[in-house]
């Protein structure tokens, strides 16, 4: 386990996702659209349902895994050493 301070983290600088005036949460959905069906994007900022939440990052990763594999669902679970 690692503990960090979000505000002093050099990579985030305490940043978070927000929708500026004049924008819509649907704009985040556009950030999750593939480019040329080959470049996929995941992250809490790529979907409007759980924008700025950690579980939004996870669900967008699952979304892209399904898209990448061409499957309607994926199974999550621990990775065994035999599968690596």
């Amino acid at each position: 386990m690692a503990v960090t301070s979000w505000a002093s983290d050099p990579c985030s600088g305490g940043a978070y996702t927000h929708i500026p005036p004049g924008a819509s949460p649907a704009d985040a959905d556009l950030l999750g659209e593939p480019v040329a069906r080959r470049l996929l994007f995941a992250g809490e900022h790529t979907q409007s349902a759980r924008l700025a939440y950690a579980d939004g990052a996870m669900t967008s990763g699952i979304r892209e895994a399904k898209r990448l594999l061409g499957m309607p669902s994926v199974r999550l679970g621990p990775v065994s050493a035999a599968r690596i």
Side-chain angles (χ1 to χ4, degrees):
M1 179 170 80
V3 178
T4 64
S5 171
W6 187 253
S8 63
D9 184 300
C11 295
S12 69
Y16 60 92
T17 299
H18 72 96
I19 303 297
S24 162
D27 293 337
D29 295 325
L30 295 174
L31 294 174
E33 289 297 315
V35 173
R37 297 182 340 155
R38 297 191 57 143
L39 184 58
L40 307 176
F41 299 96
E44 50 77 28
H45 61 287
T46 65
Q47 47 74 47
S48 60
R50 296 295 293 164
L51 187 68
Y53 288 95
D55 64 319
M58 184 182 79
T59 56
S60 71
I62 293 168
R63 176 195 68 212
E64 295 313 317
K66 293 188 299 187
R67 194 175 286 175
L68 179 67
L69 296 171
M71 301 179 75
S73 65
V74 293
R75 190 162 130 5
L76 301 178
V79 177
S80 69
R83 291 175 51 193
I84 298 178

